[in-house]
Every structure is written in structure tokens, then in C-alpha cells.
Amino acid sequence: MAKGNPARQKMINMMYLVLTALLALNVSKEVLNSFFEVNKGIERTTTNFTLKNGDTYAEFDNAVLNNPEKYKAVRDKAYSLKKQADAIVDSLQRMKYDLVLAVDKKVYLGSDKDFRDEEGEIIKEKAKTVNWNKLNNEDKNKAVGFSNGKDNREQSGRLFYYEKSAAIGNEQSATTRKKEMESLRDLLLTFSEGNDRLQTSIVKNFDFSDRKLDNGKGKSVNWEYYNFHDMPAVSALTLLSKMQSDIRNAEANVIDYLKKDIDAKSLKFGDAEGVAIPQSNFIIQGDSFRSTIFIAAKQEGQEPEIWVGDVDTSSGLLRSAPI
């Protein structure tokens, strides 16, 4: 998982492109529902990335506990990436909630068991109708579980890139997210220096250049317009989930690279010194001197206890005092 599972990521990208093309047509309700299921799959993948990343950060923390001088700098570097990635993922999560709230006037969060009864019917009382700021932290981390207005083509552009407002200089939320992800991309590239393959993947997944409409035959438009103007709500929702997945995937790859890079270049102990063990403590004229010479590792603060006398290792009872 730390390597990002490129096969799964390519499959998700392909499914997204196919369904986006279908949505350009007058498609059936079944296709819209299928697109929403793709969104759920992407969210599950993002959750897996997040859990795996948590394990990697825990390894950084443990390394710092054992040897702060050696590992604190790289741990702090990894956590600076985490802080920036977390902030963008949270902002994208808010955009998803705001979109469904604008379309449906209510949002059902979590999995089906969180808002459906035993017969599979939606429990209306489970719906959230408040704005994002009034949600508790637990609800903010839940996925959107249901949407009724999947074919709505107005709210995505109105909320995230309203062209008339952008034309008079008002920065839109889609533009803000793009700038944040560009900054994150630059940080990812800095931290992955020396790994050309990883950097190529980052550049590809964080490409915010202008796009051409009509399958590359029409006029060029900016990234924000291309992704959110006149876009069905379910497609915009899935796109936002894909951005979150790309961020967590890149984060996983880079922090794994940082950890492996440190492990490869550092010793597994605090210090080393030369040790000589002579075969004899004295020699006389004409004799030869022989000694075993080697380099020994040591770690300050982890001196062993040496016991002299009888020690019962099975019971832990000690019949003599430690040196």
C-alpha cells in the first residue's frame, strides 16, 4: 500500500474517465448510481492510504524515541507534509459536503448502516441539514453515503467556479484548492528528490494546466472551469474524492521514500569504536604479539546489567547483586 498500488490507481482513473464520458450524454439513472458507487470505492481506497500512512508516521515516532538526534529532522519533514496534506483533504471534504447539501438540502453521512433501517429504507432523521462548521469532528470525517440529485449540473459550478464572479477578480474555491495542491506538489517533489520515477508520477497526478473542451478539439479553458462548470453533481463529487485519493497516495509514496532513504544511509546504532582483544597481556623479547581487532557498535544510554553469581532465569530470582 505504501507504494500506492499503481494498478488500482490506474483502474480508478480509467473508470472515472469512462463514466465522465457517459455523463456527457443523456444517461440513465443506473449510470449515475454506478458513478456514485465508483465514488465510494475511491473513498475506501483513500481510507486505506490514510491508515497505512498512520502506521508509517508511528514508525517515525518510534525512531525518534530511540534516537532523537538522528531521526528528529526527517520525522519533522514527514510531519510537515502530513500537516499540509491533511489541510487540503479536509477542505476537499468540506466541498463534497457543501455540494450535496446544496443539491439535496440534506446530507446522509457514513455507510448504509448509519442511516438505513433493517429493510434498507433511509431514516430521514439521520440527515444532516446544518452547515459544515456545525458538524462534529466525527461527522466531518465520514463519507457522503447517499445523494439524490446526482444529475444536477448547476451547483458544482456555482459553488466552486462561478465564472462571472471569477471574471471580476473574486477567487473561487476551486482556484484556492488548485493553488494549495500546487504548493503540495512542490513540497512532494522537494522531498522525493533522487527518485525520478516517483517525481514523474507526482507531476502527472498533480497537473493543473489548461484543458481543451470537446475531446481536445475545442477552446482551451482553465482547470477549474474544465472540472466544475456544468458538471453533474455526482461527477464533481467523484472528482473531489479522486483528488483526496491522489493526495494520500502521493503522501504514502513520499513518506515511505523518506523512511527508506534514512534507513539506507544511517547506522542502526548510535556510535561505533575499534576494539582490540589481545591473546596475551604481556610479551617478552622475541615473542610475537597477536590480537583480534574489530569495530563494535554501541548505543549510549543502553548499558547492559551484568550479574555475578547464580541467577534463576526461569523465576527471575536473583541471588547476587548487579555490578
Side-chain angles (χ1 to χ4, degrees), residues 51 120 257 260 280 321:
L51 293 173
Y257 175 66
K260 289 180 178 179
S280 175

Side-chain angles (χ1 to χ4, degrees), residues 194-205:
N195 190 326
D196 294 339
R197 183 176 181 181
L198 178 54
Q199 291 202 323
T200 299
S201 174
I202 291 169
V203 170
K204 181 179 179 180
N205 288 329

Side-chain angles (χ1 to χ4, degrees), residues 261-298:
D261 183 58
I262 289 297
D263 290 343
K265 294 180 180 178
S266 64
L267 300 173
K268 305 301 181 182
F269 41 85
D271 202 357
E273 64 179 19
V275 178
I277 303 178
Q279 292 184 358
S280 175
N281 292 327
F282 65 91
I283 59 173
I284 60 176
Q285 186 176 3
D287 285 348
S288 62
F289 176 80
R290 295 178 180 273
S291 176
T292 300
I293 301 174
F294 58 92
I295 296 176
K298 68 177 183 178

Side-chain angles (χ1 to χ4, degrees), residues 306-308 318-323:
I306 301 174
W307 295 79
V308 177
L318 309 173
R319 293 192 286 273
S320 61
I323 294 176

